[in-house]
Amino acid sequence: MKQFVISILLAFLILPFTANSSEAAVTFLDVDSSHRSYQEISYLAGGNIVFGTGGYFDPNSSVTRAEAATMLGRAMNLNGTKRATMFKDVDSGSFASGYIQSAVEKGIISGYSDGTFKPEQPVKRGEMAILINRAFGYGGTESISAANALLEKGIAQGISTGDFGYYLEIKRADFSVFLARAINYKYRINASAEFGGDLQIMADSLNVRSGPSTKFPIVHELPIATKVEAAYRVGDWVFIRSAGVEGLVHGAYLTGTYPSFMNKPLPASTPLSEQMIIIDPGHGGKDPGASGYGIQEKAVVLDTALKVKALLDKTPFSYKLTREADVYLSLSQRVSLAKSVGGDTFVSIHANAFNGSANGTEVYYYGTSATNPYQSDSKKLAAAIQNRLLAAWKLYDRGIDHGDFHVLRENSMPAVLVELGFIDNKEDNEKLASAWWRQEAAEAIYLGILDYYNEKGYNVSYLYNNVN
Ligand SMILES: [Zn+2]
């Protein structure tokens, strides 16, 4: 099925697109040919990356965060379909909702810790430098290194010698200039680009365009097996050169070796939905687990697991609870269920008991790779959850440890067993008995899972907003 879709996509992309190539340059009433940004604005408008309103471009207006996400999203060919976002202040009907969500998933832009995006807030020049660095993979992570990367490439210039104007709002004209230069090096100061690599064209006849989408005019057609060199990426598109021909082509039609100096590609769309998280509330039914001060482990851990479920439900993750009611399951049934639904991460939730004097939080993982090969990831997951639980509940730190438990040992995925606290210890019991504290524990487990995925390179930054 996937192969079929790609074939259709490829067929579509190599269709001749003559309609656009003869279009006249887009012009605006307030950006005439003498305007300092005329060329760059016209270039972007010609590829539908920027638009005006009623014939005006408004070159001196500030750029809001929603507009910046939209312009970058169009330049990188991100999915701009309007849809629900992770932010309480970005409605699914907003013009920018699709590009904002896509840009967040690609790690180009992030929201605020209070769960907002602040779409109307103007973008400062320092922030713009970071956004362009992230979109084009230049590596600058804060204002100064990001601005230096743009200065070095001839994409930006300072407002005066030695001053980048980090805290000034960027104007639409300047944002357009920087974006056009990032996309097409011919607009850069001291226009030059390094080409290299050993690539070939795979399509029968490939259109080379002036910009990174089929909205841009065709500048040339290259036949199959033509040798080309590459300079840099713009999303999935590549700026190439071949025997005097230069321009952008979709990377899907190139095969061979890219030069090592090329900018990094955008991360693949967050595949969080392909990650199946198994939450396993211990015990249940005829097996009450431990008890103390009038409460039973099976009820405490089920309620905590259901609270974790409510948090996971607000994310793209797939998840499954081994039980959602007071029913009995054997240990092997829990593991079989986790495996049968393709689990990727397994978190078993328990409460401990000893003699009333032992206390504290601990998380177990299977510390040898004899049966469950995910020893290293299991340990990472255990550490992440333990850290979050200690911060939330502030009980005694019993640490993380190897535990020879059936649900860890017989599993085939990163797996941990959380002991929230001792149900027969007065201080620990008070937290286990409290719905408020159980919510805190659920949030800690959720955050620990996010920390683990973050450490593994997934972009989950926007999911931290689901808890305070
Ligand atoms: Zn237990």
Side-chain angles (χ1 to χ4, degrees):
M1 186 61 186
K2 196 174 182 189
Q3 195 61 47
F4 175 73
V5 173
I6 288 169
S7 305
I8 298 275
L9 179 71
L10 295 182
F12 174 75
L13 284 168
I14 53 177
L15 284 175
F17 232 90
T18 46
N20 272 318
S21 57
S22 57
E23 262 176 26
V26 179
T27 55
F28 299 102
L29 296 167
D30 51 358
V31 184
D32 67 26
S33 58
S34 66
H35 192 279
R36 65 185 168 87
S37 311
Y38 170 76
Q39 286 200 4
E40 293 88 347
I41 291 171
S42 300
Y43 169 70
L44 295 180
N48 289 1
I49 291 174
V50 299
F51 294 90
T53 307
Y56 291 87
F57 185 71
D58 251 345
N60 295 320
S61 290
S62 58
V63 178
T64 66
R65 285 167 53 81
E67 289 168 343
T70 301
M71 285 189 231
L72 282 168
R74 291 191 192 119
M76 314 306 289
N77 292 293
L78 301 185
N79 175 7
T81 307
K82 289 182 196 175
R83 59 193 192 272
T85 75
M86 303 309 297
F87 306 107
K88 55 191 177 193
D89 59 348
V90 181
D91 188 81
S92 60
S94 155
F95 77 97
S97 64
Y99 285 118
I100 288 172
Q101 182 61 18
S102 292
V104 168
E105 288 173 1
K106 293 284 188 186
I108 295 172
I109 197 164
S110 48
Y112 293 90
S113 58
D114 64 355
T116 64
F117 182 77
K118 306 194 199 312
E120 300 307 320
Q121 185 170 289
V123 176
K124 307 259 189 343
R125 288 171 59 93
E127 293 166 338
M128 175 279 306
I130 295 172
L131 296 182
I132 291 183
N133 266 257
R134 288 184 188 146
F136 289 86
Y138 296 156
T141 53
E142 35 70 45
S143 300
I144 295 173
S145 60
N148 285 341
L150 300 192
L151 293 165
E152 184 198 317
K153 291 178 188 301
I155 290 171
Q157 67 270 55
I159 52 169
S160 64
T161 309
D163 184 1
F164 189 76
Y166 295 101
Y167 298 103
L168 298 176
E169 290 175 7
I170 190 155
K171 295 178 172 142
R172 280 170 61 80
D174 297 299
F175 194 97
S176 301
V177 168
F178 297 160
L179 186 54
R181 287 174 180 165
I183 292 170
N184 191 328
Y185 81 90
K186 290 175 183 175
Y187 294 107
R188 293 182 193 176
I189 302 159
N190 305 320
S192 72
E194 184 180 4
F195 288 84
D198 182 13
L199 293 151
Q200 267 193 45
I201 284 171
M202 293 163 72
D204 283 346
S205 174
L206 182 59
N207 293 327
V208 182
R209 295 177 182 274
S210 64
S213 85
T214 53
K215 307 276 190 340
F216 282 92
I218 295 165
V219 295
H220 206 87
E221 285 180 35
L222 291 176
I224 192 164
T226 306
K227 295 247 181 214
V228 303
E229 290 181 306
Y232 56 88
R233 296 181 176 88
V234 182
D236 292 334
W237 289 61
V238 181
F239 201 105
I240 56 127
R241 175 174 80 180
S242 176
V245 175
E246 285 189 9
L248 286 128
V249 299
H250 196 286
Y253 305 110
L254 298 177
T255 182
T257 312
Y258 284 96
S260 58
F261 55 75
M262 264 178 87
N263 55 338
K264 286 197 259 22
L266 281 171
S269 280
T270 320
L272 293 183
S273 59
E274 292 170 19
Q275 287 294 311
M276 170 62 79
I277 296 171
I278 311 296
I279 303 295
D280 173 46
H283 313 280
K286 68 182 183 188
D287 170 16
S291 59
Y293 298 97
I295 57 170
Q296 291 185 319
E297 180 184 355
K298 68 173 184 178
V300 166
V301 298
L302 175 59
D303 183 65
T304 306
L306 290 171
K307 287 174 161 59
V308 176
K309 175 192 172 183
L311 291 163
L312 290 175
D313 198 47
K314 292 193 277 183
T315 74
F317 282 114
S318 300
Y319 62 84
K320 178 89 185 160
L321 272 65
T322 52
R323 68 180 180 100
E324 298 197 28
D326 184 17
V327 293
Y328 176 79
L329 280 107
S330 70
L331 298 175
S332 59
Q333 280 176 314
R334 294 166 197 263
V335 172
S336 300
L337 178 82
K339 290 178 180 174
S340 71
V341 298
D344 297 288
T345 300
F346 185 97
V347 179
S348 191
I349 305 177
H350 288 255
N352 222 331
F354 185 54
N355 60 4
S357 62
N359 66 319
T361 301
E362 61 193 323
V363 180
Y364 291 100
Y365 62 98
Y366 191 60
T368 83
S369 51
T371 50
N372 185 346
Y374 296 94
Q375 180 189 355
S376 160
D377 277 350
S378 296
K379 188 175 182 181
K380 279 182 193 152
L381 179 62
I385 293 177
Q386 174 74 356
N387 286 340
R388 290 289 187 171
L389 276 172
L390 290 175
W393 270 24
K394 299 184 175 63
L395 295 184
Y396 176 67
D397 179 8
R398 300 179 68 88
I400 62 169
D401 206 355
H402 163 70
D404 188 13
F405 296 107
H406 183 102
V407 293
L408 307 183
R409 184 183 64 239
E410 305 302 329
N411 233 320
S412 55
M413 64 195 76
V416 299
L417 189 146
V418 178
E419 295 280 8
L420 295 168
F422 281 72
I423 202 166
D424 59 349
N425 172 272
K426 185 75 183 123
E427 187 196 354
D428 288 13
N429 180 283
E430 280 170 9
K431 293 211 158 90
L432 291 165
S434 155
W436 190 88
W437 282 109
R438 290 196 296 269
Q439 177 65 30
E440 294 289 301
E443 291 180 7
I445 291 168
Y446 169 79
L447 292 171
I449 292 170
L450 293 189
D451 290 345
Y452 164 74
Y453 274 98
N454 182 55
E455 192 180 343
K456 285 182 63 74
Y458 291 80
N459 176 28
V460 293
S461 56
Y462 61 104
L463 298 176
Y464 286 95
N465 296 328
N466 287 344
V467 299
N468 296 316

